[in-house]
Structures are given as C-alpha cells and as structure tokens.
Amino acid sequence: MMMSKPVFLNSIPDLFEHINIHEHKHISFHHHLRNGDDVINRVLSIYEAYNVKDIHLHPSAIFPSYHRILSLIKRGQITDITTSYINGDVGEYISEYGLKGNLLMTSHGTRARGIIEGKESINIAYLAVPTVDQNGNGTGTIGPSRCGSLGYAVADSEHADIVVLITDNIVDETLINPQIDGRHVDYVITVESIGDPKGIVSGITQLTTNPIGVKIAHTAATILTSLSSMKSGFSYQSGAGGISLKVTDYLRQYMETSNIKAQFFSGGITAYHVNMLTEGLVEELYDVQCFDLRAVESISQYEHHHAISASKYANPQDDTRVIKALDFVILGATEIDVNFNCNVTTDSFNTIIGGSGGHHDVAEEANVTIVVSPLIKGRIPIVKDRVTTITTPGQHIDIFVTERGVAINPNREDLINELSQTNINLLPIDTLKNIAENYTGKPKEIGQSHEPIGYILDRDYNRIDTLYKKKG
C-alpha cells in the first residue's frame, strides 16, 4: 500500500481510522533506540486494548524495556515472534512457557534478506524515526531523539505492505540523503516523544579494566598484529563488549606506532571507532547501528562515517555487502564447544539471553574470526562438549582466546602455521576445557525438555538448532 504522498496523523490511534487493526497481523519494529524506545510499547498497548489476536511480531531485537510484548504474550495475543535478539523478561518467559506458535531467531543479515525476498512478510512496519520531512523522508541523524543509523529499519520501510513512521520532529525542508525514502511511506504519525536516546547506551560500551579481560584483549591484539595480513588497508569489526573494545584500543596503539591505516571498520560503531576515524587511523566507518551517543553525533558530522542498511551490511544475497570484504572480527561468546560451535543465544541453563545479531553474519564472512572470553564465567566453564544452543557453527570460528591459552580451529592450518612461530600459548580446545574443569569440576548436566519452543536459522533459512523449553 504505497501512496504518492504519506498521510500525516496526530496520534497513533488515528491510524486505525484508516486501516483495520485486526486485518494486519505481521507487524515489525526496529531497535535503534534500544532501551530508550517508547514506540513499541505505545503501539502494542493499542493492540492489547483492541484485543487483536494471532499477532506475528517481527522486531529486529527485543530489549528489557519492551514490557508490552510480554503482556500480549501472556494474553495469548502474540503467538509468533521472528527476531535476531531477545534480552530480558520476554526471553525468560518464552524459555519457561514457550509461545502459542513459534520463535524463529535469525541473524541481522538474514532478517534483511528475508524481508527483501518476501520470506519474512510484514503487513505493517511501525518505525520510530527521529526526524521526518513533509514528503515522508526520514533520518536518525538529527532531531531531539536522534539515534544515528537506522540500518535495521530500511528493509522494513521498503518492503512492508504498510509503512508507518512515528516521529517527534517534523521539518519543512527536504532532507538530504534520507535513510528512509518517503516514496515507500504510507503514514507519518507525530507524537510528543519517541523515547529517550540515552537509552541506546546499555552499559556495554566501556573498555574492560578487569585483569583477566585485559589479558585476553592483549593476547587477541598480539594475534592480530602477528598476522601477515595485518597491514595498511585492512578491515576490522569488533563488538561493543568490554574485552572486544579493549582489543580495539590495543590495536589502535599498534597502528599509531607502526603507521598502519585501516580501510574501514564496520558494524555497530562506538566512540572508540569514531576517535580512530578522527585521528586518521581508519578511512571509513560503515555503521548499521550507533552504540553510543558519540557515534550518534559523529554520523551527522563526518562524511566518512556512513549509515548503512542491514542489507548493505550483511545480507548474503547483497553483492555489495560490506562484510564481504571484512578481514578481522572480534566476537564474544556465552559458550563454545570442542567443535568451535558458539552460543550467544542462551545461557547454560537454557534461558534465552541474546541472539545472533550480526554474530553469525560476520563470523561466516570475515577472513579471521576471533572469539574472546574468560575460560570460566560465574564458576561455569565456557568450553562444553556441546553448547546449549548453536548460534554460529564452528566452521566459521577460527581462533578462541582465553586468559589460559589460545585454541585455533584445526581447519585453519594457515593460522596454526603462522602463529606457531610466535610466543602465543597455543593449546587444543579440549585442553582448555580440561584446564577449566580442573578448577570447577565437571559441571552437572542441566538437561532440557524435549518440547521445542523455536528454532535458530542460518543465513539460508536452514535450521541450525532447536530451542527447547526449560526443564521443569
């Protein structure tokens, strides 16, 4: 339903004078305001009041503040969810009780691909957009609630049957290089506030100061700087976790002293990446999501800091995807097993605490994928015989770095040969598992029920693993 020019409305309830709320059951939201988002709760409160049934929710991610989702699940109104990440009460509830339908968990690149190819059909996309012009063009780079890149909203805005922008800032002048193309927009709703942009900072964008984390980061950085492929023109991505950012900080020091410049950094961008751009250490930033307010500010200031769509970032069917040219990536893990399979979806007790996000995407595409983690977390060894849930298959993981040693995937003989010439403590992953268990003892098997509640999908929509209801 694409109009020549969008209809402008003054409240969310006004929308349902134009469309039947009960007819459109597949609805989507993005998560760029993260814990500061107020749009998803306000929209879903109306679905709750109208008692809309059989809703299939397609949010790009679910954060703890999205409390209205849990309310509709408990009332039986939300029956199915397709998403890339779940954290908070929603994940805990689904792990305990499941859904009436299914939970499907994808990567960010897979989500974009599914929407574009019609495999993930969306009836209405409700998109929080910090600034919208009179033609329905939208951007996240300016406005009182600016959040920077709107990368996860672009596919929704171009392919949903009905596209609804919800904003707290309408401007008269036509936006230059908008992230949302007004030609695809059907309705624009003005509200007092779409949320608190300070909520995009979730406590994960600080360098670790923990001695174990610092040691792991130093080892990972040593690995990077020991590889012959670490030279001017390299490309790099790190997560927003404390250890990953510390690796980036060590890398920055090496680049300064060695006069090395990166071609690009990609993914979720933080102040640390921005500083390296302004210092001339990296030529381009390709930003699918801003992880802190410095990144939000930067994306409107610097022409070499680019907002990109999730498809441009990681859609495996997009030949222009950025991560296709990615050299190195630093990732975390909740668990890893002796076959290098990684879990970032559930904890060891089978509770949903996250999801792939871009984990599987970049692990599959990067030339060298490094996972960093303490060997023991909360008195539980991170290395398992088999992870609780496979998020990223082990064939895409190259190096596992801990404070006790480094394991290299046997499939990467090139890395083994190169790093064997260094002083890095290389050990088989089974040995790391035994070292951890010598400290903790062999963990008791938690077990799980045989009742499936959802599925992990790979980038071609095949099932990687099954999510099971927690054992009672």
Side-chain angles (χ1 to χ4, degrees), residues 18 63 107 122 216 247 263 312 326 343 401 453 462 467:
H18 296 260
F63 278 77
S107 70
I122 295 172
I216 294 167
V247 177
Q263 180 183 359
K312 174 75 173 178
L326 189 60
N343 175 19
V401 182
I453 58 172
N462 302 308
L467 290 162

Side-chain angles (χ1 to χ4, degrees), residues 31-151:
H31 70 284
H32 285 283
L33 284 168
R34 299 165 73 83
N35 268 319
D37 194 314
D38 191 43
V39 166
I40 189 167
N41 289 324
R42 293 178 66 176
V43 171
L44 289 181
S45 68
I46 298 174
Y47 276 77
E48 183 174 3
Y50 277 85
N51 198 30
V52 180
K53 301 289 189 181
D54 301 320
I55 299 169
H56 189 141
L57 199 64
H58 299 259
S60 53
I62 295 174
F63 278 77
S65 63
Y66 304 172
H67 55 83
R68 192 63 63 174
I69 294 175
L70 183 57
S71 178
L72 269 71
I73 292 173
K74 288 181 175 180
R75 289 167 56 93
Q77 293 177 249
I78 292 176
T79 56
D80 298 84
I81 296 176
T82 301
T83 190
S84 301
Y85 180 92
I86 303 176
N87 184 254
D89 291 347
V90 172
E92 293 174 10
Y93 183 89
I94 294 174
S95 301
E96 193 80 27
Y97 302 104
L99 295 167
K100 279 188 174 182
N102 276 322
L103 170 65
L104 299 179
M105 299 199 71
T106 70
S107 70
H108 285 321
T110 307
R111 180 181 187 273
R113 176 185 180 181
I115 292 171
I116 291 167
E117 295 181 358
K119 293 180 174 66
E120 191 170 337
S121 180
I122 295 172
N123 299 138
I124 307 179
Y126 294 98
L127 306 177
V129 179
T131 295
V132 179
D133 69 20
Q134 297 296 329
N135 294 311
N137 300 305
T139 185
T141 61
I142 58 175
S145 302
R146 62 181 179 165
C147 58
S149 177
L150 292 174

Side-chain angles (χ1 to χ4, degrees), residues 334-335 343-348 350-354 388-389 391 467:
T334 305
E335 298 175 332
N343 175 19
V344 292
T345 303
T346 61
D347 63 17
S348 298
N350 217 38
T351 300
I352 298 168
I353 58 168
T388 306
T389 306
T391 308
L467 290 162

Side-chain angles (χ1 to χ4, degrees), residues 330-376:
I330 307 295
L331 298 172
T334 305
E335 298 175 332
I336 191 169
D337 66 27
V338 294
N339 294 310
F340 287 83
N341 297 308
C342 272
N343 175 19
V344 292
T345 303
T346 61
D347 63 17
S348 298
F349 300 95
N350 217 38
T351 300
I352 298 168
I353 58 168
S356 177
H359 197 284
H360 187 167
D361 292 316
V362 293
E364 183 171 327
E365 300 263 10
N367 222 6
V368 178
T369 297
I370 301 176
V371 170
V372 293
S373 176
L375 194 53
I376 299 168

Side-chain angles (χ1 to χ4, degrees), residues 221-271:
T222 301
I223 290 170
L224 287 173
T225 57
S226 298
L227 294 173
S228 58
S229 51
M230 174 53 68
K231 55 189 177 182
S232 282
F234 77 94
S235 53
Y236 173 80
Q237 179 169 327
S238 64
I243 297 177
S244 296
L245 289 175
K246 187 64 178 175
V247 177
T248 303
D249 188 50
Y250 279 129
L251 181 60
R252 171 193 180 196
Q253 296 172 37
Y254 174 81
M255 293 170 68
E256 288 177 334
T257 58
S258 303
N259 196 28
I260 288 176
K261 187 173 184 177
Q263 180 183 359
F264 72 82
F265 292 165
S266 61
I269 299 299
T270 71

Side-chain angles (χ1 to χ4, degrees), residues 282-333:
V282 57
E283 293 180 5
E284 314 285 343
L285 299 181
Y286 293 114
D287 192 343
V288 73
Q289 178 179 29
C290 296
F291 273 128
D292 60 29
L293 297 180
R294 178 68 183 100
V296 172
E297 180 183 21
S298 165
I299 207 166
S300 62
Q301 286 182 326
Y302 303 117
E303 63 176 331
H304 295 287
H305 186 169
H306 312 279
I308 60 172
S309 70
S311 181
K312 174 75 173 178
Y313 170 54
N315 175 358
Q317 292 299 303
D318 188 333
D319 289 337
T320 67
R321 64 191 180 279
V322 167
I323 63 171
K324 187 178 180 181
L326 189 60
D327 289 318
F328 309 105
V329 63
I330 307 295
L331 298 172

